[in-house]
Amino acid sequence: MSAFSRFTPLISALPSTVPFVGPEALERQRGLSVKARIGANENGFGPAPSVIAAMRERAGDIWMYNDPENYELKQALAAHLGVQPANIAVGEGIDSLLGLIARMVIEPGTPVVTSLGGYPTFNFHVVGFGGRLVTVPYVDDREDLDGLLEAVKRENAPLVYFANPDNPMGSWWDADKIVAFARALPENCLLILDEAYSETGPASSLPDISALIDLPNVLRTRTFSKAYGLAGARVGYVIGAPETVLTFDKIRNHFGMNRLATVAALAALKDQAYLAEVVGKIRAAREQIGTIARDNGLLPLASATNFVAIDCGRDGTYARAIVDGLIQHGVFIRMPGVAPLNRCIRVSVGPKQDLELLAEALPKVLKAIG
């Protein structure tokens, strides 16, 4: 049977792809069981007990749609951040919000600036709306702020994406550099400042909310997926100037938010004591990952995220062999997909037993591949 013939030319030309191969797919493809899930930048320590309790208490409400205005969560986030509710838009994780922002700005052929090797889901949305990716290589394993700014001006780009702290390298820029970059951008270029890892980095890496809130061409994206341990709940939000944030109401899925996910986010935001505890666990796990890497002759890179990029000292083929070898031992990790970043593997934080499985399997894999 032939395919449906009236998809748009753009959609017909795109490949069907998934930006990330999940551990579930690897289990299906290879007939194995993942024992240590430390590859997807999830928070293996999980959400606060108070969050689980709140979800259990409200589970019976799942027959109702979520509030399409996300009023309660926006109020809570605004109070937590010291802004107004009008500065906040809520969505089904940062990935969904990135798609909405792309839809706001991109037409076929629109130049969009990002880093070569940066977050692939953003690229997925750009291409899906017909945008033209303009990529800037990393310098010293950090996104190149000067290079991104130069590319924006050269291409007259209306959209630029920058993550701080960075995925996939875990590196970061200090707040003053971020603010200077944002204020140097042309007024007609929208900056997506992805701050998914804002809670796990040093305080010096996070610009004060007031430092950028007056700029209508800056949208800061944050999430409950990382430090709060709610990746499966899909709760993200945007911080920006009211006139820019209001644009989300033109195109967002007003019933897209999950009711129990909203309950979970509200409870997580209230339990800042648990957040502080788990951030401490994340830092300790980063140290443990670094020790495992050094014990095996590999170089852990400094990280401000909930994962550690590890320089394997050779090329992408060697790094891929380590990833493939570890999955045979039930240890799921990932690697950046673009040279020269792909000399690295990337290990997410997790409970002690998961990292102990990594410590046990890694020397076996390195010995096997030579």
Side-chain angles (χ1 to χ4, degrees):
M1 182 180 295
S2 60
F4 178 69
S5 61
R6 296 192 69 177
F7 291 120
T8 67
L10 171 60
I11 293 300
S12 297
L14 291 173
S16 296
T17 184
V18 178
F20 298 102
V21 177
E24 298 87 355
L26 293 173
E27 289 179 323
R28 291 190 294 269
Q29 294 166 4
R30 305 194 184 199
L32 49 77
S33 175
V34 170
K35 302 172 185 175
R37 184 175 171 130
I38 48 175
N41 297 358
E42 298 155 327
N43 176 358
F45 302 110
S50 60
V51 171
I52 301 299
M55 294 178 74
R56 284 184 178 138
E57 182 180 345
R58 300 287 295 278
D61 294 343
I62 200 65
W63 63 273
M64 291 184 278
Y65 289 116
N66 194 64
D67 173 12
E69 296 182 16
N70 298 300
Y71 177 85
E72 190 175 0
L73 183 54
K74 287 168 70 173
Q75 291 284 330
L77 284 167
H80 177 69
L81 296 167
V83 297
Q84 298 300 312
N87 294 115
I88 305 288
V90 174
E92 308 93 303
I94 286 179
D95 290 354
S96 174
L97 293 165
L98 290 177
L100 293 176
I101 297 169
R103 183 179 170 191
M104 293 175 189
V105 177
I106 295 172
E107 297 176 315
T110 298
V112 177
V113 174
T114 187
S115 296
L116 181 63
Y119 190 45
T121 300
F122 176 69
N123 301 351
F124 178 81
H125 287 307
V126 170
V127 174
F129 285 102
R132 175 172 61 86
L133 285 165
V134 179
T135 57
V136 176
Y138 282 63
V139 175
D140 296 329
D141 297 324
R142 291 202 296 183
E143 295 195 67
D144 180 5
L145 290 176
D146 291 339
L148 291 169
L149 180 60
E150 191 279 329
V152 165
K153 293 179 176 179
R154 183 185 69 243
E155 301 286 339
N156 189 25
L159 186 61
V160 58
Y161 173 88
F162 170 67
N164 193 66
D166 176 65
N167 178 14
M169 300 310 290
S171 52
W172 68 97
W173 286 94
D174 284 339
D176 58 341
K177 299 291 186 183
I178 306 300
V179 173
F181 172 72
R183 293 192 172 276
L185 287 169
E187 292 181 357
N188 62 356
C189 178
L190 181 65
L191 167 63
I192 301 174
L193 177 56
D194 190 338
E195 297 177 324
Y197 303 94
S198 57
E199 292 88 1
T200 61
S204 64
S205 70
L206 193 64
D208 187 83
I209 290 295
S210 62
L212 297 173
I213 202 69
D214 64 313
L215 296 180
N217 65 326
V218 175
L219 289 174
R220 302 169 73 168
T221 58
R222 295 189 184 179
T223 184
F224 285 85
S225 295
K226 308 303 180 182
Y228 287 104
L230 289 170
R234 311 310 302 130
V235 185
Y237 58 99
V238 166
I239 310 162
E243 59 270 28
T244 306
V245 167
L246 189 62
T247 309
F248 286 91
D249 281 346
K250 297 181 179 182
I251 57 173
R252 70 183 177 89
N253 180 357
H254 290 72
F255 287 107
M257 289 299 298
N258 179 297
R259 191 175 187 88
L260 283 185
T262 302
V263 168
L266 285 165
L269 202 59
K270 289 179 181 178
D271 201 338
Q272 291 296 305
Y274 179 83
L275 177 66
E277 177 185 336
V278 85
V279 167
K281 290 181 178 179
I282 289 170
R283 289 172 180 158
R286 289 196 307 233
E287 291 297 321
Q288 189 177 354
I289 293 168
T291 297
I292 293 169
R294 286 186 289 269
D295 287 348
N296 286 277
L298 307 178
L299 178 64
L301 304 184
S303 174
T305 61
N306 68 346
F307 61 84
V308 177
I310 299 173
D311 189 340
C312 298
R314 289 163 64 174
D315 60 11
T317 300
Y318 181 69
R320 172 55 61 190
I322 295 174
V323 172
D324 290 343
L326 285 173
I327 196 64
Q328 296 303 318
H329 291 268
V331 178
F332 166 66
I333 67 167
R334 283 190 175 136
M335 61 180 287
V338 179
L341 307 182
N342 64 4
R343 74 186 194 281
C344 296
I345 57 176
R346 195 192 65 199
V347 180
S348 304
V349 302
K352 182 179 179 181
Q353 62 268 24
D354 287 5
L355 299 186
E356 287 175 345
L357 286 172
L358 172 67
E360 179 183 342
L362 184 56
K364 296 176 183 177
V365 170
L366 293 175
K367 182 178 179 181
I369 64 179

